[in-house]
Amino acid sequence: MSDSPTIVLVHGAFADAASWAPVTRRLLDDGYTVLVPPVFNRSLSGDSAYLKSFVEQIDGPVLLAGHSYGGAVITVAGVAENVVGLVYVAGYALDEGESLGQLQGGFPDSELAANLVYAPYPVDGGEPGTDVSVKIDAFPQVFAAGVDPETARVLAVSQRPLSAVAFGEPAPVAAWKTKPSWGIVSSADHTINPDVERFGYQRAGVRKVVEIDAPHLVMQTHPAEVAAVITDAIAELA
């Protein structure tokens, strides 16, 4: 599929690139060019700057798909000139000048809020930062409901935390204002209130919203449906 965009899959908080593995495998088997870079989860500005640089080094058009916090990252990084579309997967579609905390604050808390752990980490030449992760014993239900229990146990102890600064940092731009977008709502999400997803997508004017009766890690539990939204987006772009 040499004439198709490169698909860049962007993971979110409390997970890593492996969270996309079932979808990655399907897309590769279908002949698409796929890349799944790391997101360092240090700050929205830093993470999106890294992703934008990564994308700009790809030859040809790029379709970005972001899960959870990765949705906020693609909202900013998606202004890269070669990005042709955005796919939000149980993600945050922030507006320009809006933070994760502000968007979430307009809706009732999910189960995640009561199951977070805070830990300091060193910062060169400054005050320690704060890492945020999910309580290990709550992780399977809050973050990985519907995932094979043995897999969920592994995911719970191998989280990539999100720095607390990312919650309050406003998005400097919103790529969906100039790029077409698509959205997946995980209607059984216990990590993000599904209404946060719905509201963000509606405001962004996404071309199509697909509701899946799935948990937050919809890429793990419903990879065929997630892959289909991504490939349908590519077909529309063509």
Side-chain angles (χ1 to χ4, degrees), residues 110-184:
S110 69
E111 292 180 39
L112 176 70
N115 289 285
L116 294 174
V117 178
Y118 303 88
Y121 68 88
V123 176
D124 290 343
E127 294 293 321
T130 300
D131 262 340
V132 183
S133 59
V134 184
K135 292 178 183 176
I136 290 175
D137 59 352
F139 188 97
Q141 170 60 25
V142 172
F143 196 82
V147 175
D148 173 74
E150 293 304 308
T151 300
R153 288 179 62 207
V154 173
L155 295 174
V157 299
S158 52
Q159 299 177 49
R160 183 184 285 271
L162 178 65
S163 177
V165 299
F167 289 96
E169 191 175 5
V173 294
W176 50 258
K177 293 179 183 289
T178 57
K179 308 290 176 77
S181 57
W182 293 259
I184 294 175

Side-chain angles (χ1 to χ4, degrees), residues 52 55-56 60-65 71 73-88 93-94 173-183 200-201 203-208 233 236-237:
K52 184 171 181 285
V55 165
E56 289 174 337
V62 170
L63 177 71
L64 289 176
V73 176
I74 70 171
T75 295
V76 181
V79 297
E81 187 174 342
N82 60 330
V83 170
V84 294
L86 312 168
V87 178
Y88 291 94
L94 297 179
V173 294
W176 50 258
K177 293 179 183 289
T178 57
K179 308 290 176 77
S181 57
W182 293 259
Y201 302 165
R203 181 177 58 183
V206 302
R207 291 190 175 189
K208 183 178 183 181
E236 284 192 49
L237 290 167

Side-chain angles (χ1 to χ4, degrees), residues 67-68 89-92 109-112 141-145 184-198 201 212-218:
H67 174 246
S68 192
V89 180
Y92 293 103
D109 285 341
S110 69
E111 292 180 39
L112 176 70
Q141 170 60 25
V142 172
F143 196 82
I184 294 175
V185 173
S186 289
S187 60
D189 201 328
H190 296 288
T191 299
I192 300 176
N193 184 330
D195 285 338
V196 172
E197 300 165 20
R198 296 182 183 105
Y201 302 165
I212 301 176
D213 183 15
H216 191 60
L217 281 180
V218 59

